[in-house]
Amino acid sequence: MSVQAETLLSVRGVETYYGKIVALRGVDIDVHRGEIVTMIGANGAGKSTLMMTICGQPQARNGQVIYDGQDITLMPTHEIISLGIAQSPEGRRIFPRMTVMENLQMGAALVDPGLFDEDLAKVFKLFPRLKERIAQRGGTLSGGEQQMLAIARALMSRPKLLLLDEPSLGLAPLIVKQIFDAIRVLNEEEGLTVFLVEQNAFHALKLAHRGYVMVNGNITMSGTGAELLKREEVRAAYLEGGRH
Ligand SMILES: Nc1ncnc2c1ncn2[C@@H]1O[C@H](COP(=O)(O)OP(=O)(O)OP(=O)(O)O)[C@@H](O)[C@H]1O
Ligand SMILES: [Mg+2]
C-alpha cells in the first residue's frame, strides 16, 4: 500500500437508530483502496448495523458515509449497489430455492452479460466446491458452501468494495480457513478492497491490514491487525478462551 493511501470509504460521525434506540453512536472509519479492514466486536455491538448503514438500510440519522468521493448517506440501496458496493450479509441470505448457478446469475444481474463466463470461471477457481454443486439448490448446501455462495454471488457483481458480515459464523475451522484464504487471494491478486465484520477476532485481525474494535455502538480501538492482536484489552475481551 502506498503511503498516501486513497480513501475509498469514509464513515464520519455516523449515528443510526432503530426507532428511539440508538445502535451507532458516532462512528468514524476509513477504508483505503486495496485494503482489508476488519471491525470486531461482541454480539449486539452494532457491527451489522454499520454494514447495513453503509448500504443505506437503515440510513444514518446523523453523520456521513462517503464512498469514492460521493456522499451516499441518504442514497437508496439500489443506487449504492450500482456504484460498486457488494454485501454478503450476516446469515448468508442466499436464495434457497434457486440453484447455485441461478444465485450467481442474480449476483451478475447488473453486469455486462458478455463478462459472465469469465467471472463465473473466476469464482469457481476461488471456490471449486461450488462448481461441483452448480445445479444444487442453495438451501440444500452445507453452511460452508452457502457462505462460499454468498461471497461468490457478491463477487459476480464486480464490486469495488466487498462488505462481508461474519463469514466465519458457525463454520468449522477448516472451512473458515478456506474462506479467509479466498479473501486474501482476492485482495492480493485482484486488489479488491474488503470491509470485514467479525466476531472471530483472531482470524480477522490476522487477515486484515487494519482493524477497529466496536463496543456498544462506539469505536474504542483501532490499529493495524498485528497491533490489535497484541493489545492486552483485545486479547482479554476477544481472544482468550474465544473462538480461535
Ligand atoms: N431491526 C432492529 N430493530 C431494533 N433493534 C435492532 C434491530 N437490529 C438490530 N438492533 C439492535 O441494535 C444493536 C446492534 O445490533 P447489530 O445487529 O448491529 O449488532 P452486531 O454487532 O452485528 O451483533 P452480532 O455479532 O450478534 O451479529 C443491538 O442492540 C440490536 O438489538
Ligand atoms: Mg451482526
Side-chain angles (χ1 to χ4, degrees):
M1 224 178 59
S2 71
V3 179
Q4 293 160 318
E6 194 186 341
T7 305
L8 183 58
L9 179 77
S10 177
V11 172
R12 283 290 166 271
V14 159
E15 297 175 19
T16 301
Y17 287 74
Y18 293 107
K20 287 184 179 163
I21 298 165
V22 60
L24 300 181
R25 302 164 188 269
V27 170
D28 294 321
I29 61 157
D30 286 306
V31 179
H32 305 303
R33 231 177 261 279
E35 264 189 324
I36 301 176
V37 173
T38 191
M39 164 158 296
I40 61 170
N43 284 121
K47 305 180 302 296
S48 296
T49 302
L50 175 61
M51 199 146 272
M52 295 189 294
T53 301
I54 293 166
C55 294
Q57 224 165 16
Q59 288 179 337
R61 191 172 294 180
N62 292 304
Q64 280 187 313
V65 182
I66 310 289
Y67 167 74
D68 212 0
Q70 214 175 334
D71 189 338
I72 63 167
T73 320
L74 300 177
M75 234 182 228
T77 300
H78 68 271
E79 273 180 43
I80 293 173
I81 287 164
S82 75
L83 295 174
I85 299 182
Q87 188 186 14
S88 172
E90 189 178 301
R92 301 153 201 155
R93 307 238 190 94
I94 48 144
F95 301 110
R97 288 165 177 278
M98 291 187 181
T99 64
V100 166
M101 184 61 149
E102 288 162 348
N103 268 277
L104 295 173
Q105 284 165 339
M106 293 295 285
L110 296 174
V111 178
D112 174 359
L115 298 168
F116 185 79
D117 289 348
E118 183 189 323
D119 290 353
L120 194 64
K122 252 191 223 166
V123 298
F124 284 161
K125 184 163 174 249
L126 203 60
F127 298 119
R129 190 87 75 92
L130 290 181
K131 190 174 182 184
E132 295 163 18
R133 315 244 150 205
I134 194 161
Q136 191 171 326
R137 282 177 199 268
T140 66
L141 296 172
S142 73
E145 290 161 355
Q146 289 191 24
Q147 186 59 63
M148 291 172 194
L149 180 56
I151 296 172
R153 187 182 62 185
L155 291 172
M156 291 301 287
S157 71
R158 296 197 153 218
K160 290 193 206 122
L161 173 63
L162 178 64
L163 306 177
L164 299 172
D165 194 344
E166 300 217 38
S168 77
L169 191 67
L171 302 182
L174 189 65
I175 306 288
V176 173
K177 185 176 180 314
Q178 281 175 17
I179 286 176
F180 278 45
D181 283 349
I183 298 167
R184 178 178 283 122
V185 166
L186 281 167
N187 174 260
E188 284 177 359
E189 294 185 359
E190 316 243 334
L192 182 66
T193 309
V194 179
F195 181 53
L196 167 72
V197 156
E198 263 295 345
Q199 274 195 60
N200 194 329
F202 180 71
H203 280 103
L205 292 173
K206 280 212 122 169
L207 174 72
H209 299 107
R210 291 188 305 111
Y212 294 88
V213 179
M214 180 178 270
V215 178
N216 198 14
N218 286 301
I219 304 294
T220 57
M221 275 181 265
S222 64
T224 66
E227 276 163 13
L228 288 175
L229 263 179
K230 277 191 240 146
R231 297 272 293 256
E232 203 41 57
E233 310 94 296
V234 172
R235 302 192 71 84
Y238 304 104
L239 297 178
E240 317 273 297
R243 290 189 278 155
H244 282 222

